[in-house]
Amino acid sequence: MESVSSLNRTLRQLVHLGEGGQKVGFAAMGVLLYVYRNQPTRATDVAQWIGIGPAALSRQVADLESMGLLERTPCRNDARAQLISLTPEGKDEVDRAYKRRTDLLSDLLKDWDPTEIAEAAATVNRIQQALRAGVDQLQGKNLPVAEAAQEGKA
């Protein structure tokens, strides 16, 4: 477990180092990245994935919307809900962040051969998928409807 914690701290430091020239901070970029991969999406899905409450996310979304990086549209299936998507400027911001991070990692791992990088990436992806599945299960996403209802999650 210590190695996972240590890797997490190092990755956060790298992300902060790669923020140069970015319009938004670490937390807001997390919102943009989720929306980038899942748009259009509901704010509740973003909040749950990031692990924050709806009020905190609402402030983030409002700030990102005022910066011209996100836009909201009504949900056709639920008149009470809104869907969040990136604006073209928001997509450009995410693309620039990916490039900065990729360039930084490439520079730091320049002594690794392509096979080592591919193997490490595959391992990290497997770990991330296993942990995400575990988090989803703990949050009740993968429970049968009856079980989730009994636990107050449906």
Side-chain angles (χ1 to χ4, degrees):
M1 187 59 172
E2 178 57 33
S3 59
V4 172
S5 296
S6 182
L7 176 61
N8 186 39
R9 283 189 301 274
T10 302
L11 289 173
R12 284 185 181 270
Q13 289 172 328
L14 285 172
V15 167
H16 288 295
L17 287 171
E19 286 181 346
Q22 204 167 278
K23 284 185 178 184
V24 299
F26 179 76
M29 184 53 71
V31 172
L32 292 177
L33 289 170
Y34 181 86
V35 174
Y36 183 84
R37 289 188 293 264
N38 299 284
Q39 63 185 328
T41 190
R42 299 176 112 176
T44 53
D45 294 333
V46 180
Q48 187 172 22
W49 183 80
I50 292 175
I52 62 174
L57 182 71
S58 180
R59 286 188 298 276
Q60 287 277 4
V61 169
D63 289 346
L64 291 166
E65 189 176 28
S66 71
M67 295 171 72
L69 302 175
L70 286 181
E71 61 187 2
R72 296 183 227 207
T73 56
C75 178
R76 285 186 265 178
N77 301 330
D78 183 352
R80 299 167 297 162
Q82 292 186 328
L83 298 175
I84 303 167
S85 299
L86 294 178
T87 63
E89 188 177 339
K91 182 185 179 312
D92 289 346
E93 185 69 16
V94 171
D95 289 342
R96 285 189 299 271
Y98 271 131
K99 178 159 178 25
R100 279 189 305 274
R101 291 174 184 183
T102 300
D103 290 348
L104 180 60
L105 284 174
S106 294
D107 187 47
L108 293 172
L109 300 176
K110 66 181 176 263
D111 295 334
W112 287 37
D113 69 54
T115 302
E116 288 176 306
I117 292 172
E119 289 170 354
T123 299
V124 168
N125 285 333
R126 283 196 317 274
I127 292 168
Q128 186 277 330
Q129 289 168 356
L131 294 176
R132 173 52 51 192
V135 167
D136 288 348
Q137 188 173 22
L138 290 171
Q139 292 176 335
K141 284 186 178 180
N142 296 332
L143 292 176
V145 174
E147 274 184 59
Q150 287 175 346
E151 294 183 19
K153 296 179 179 176

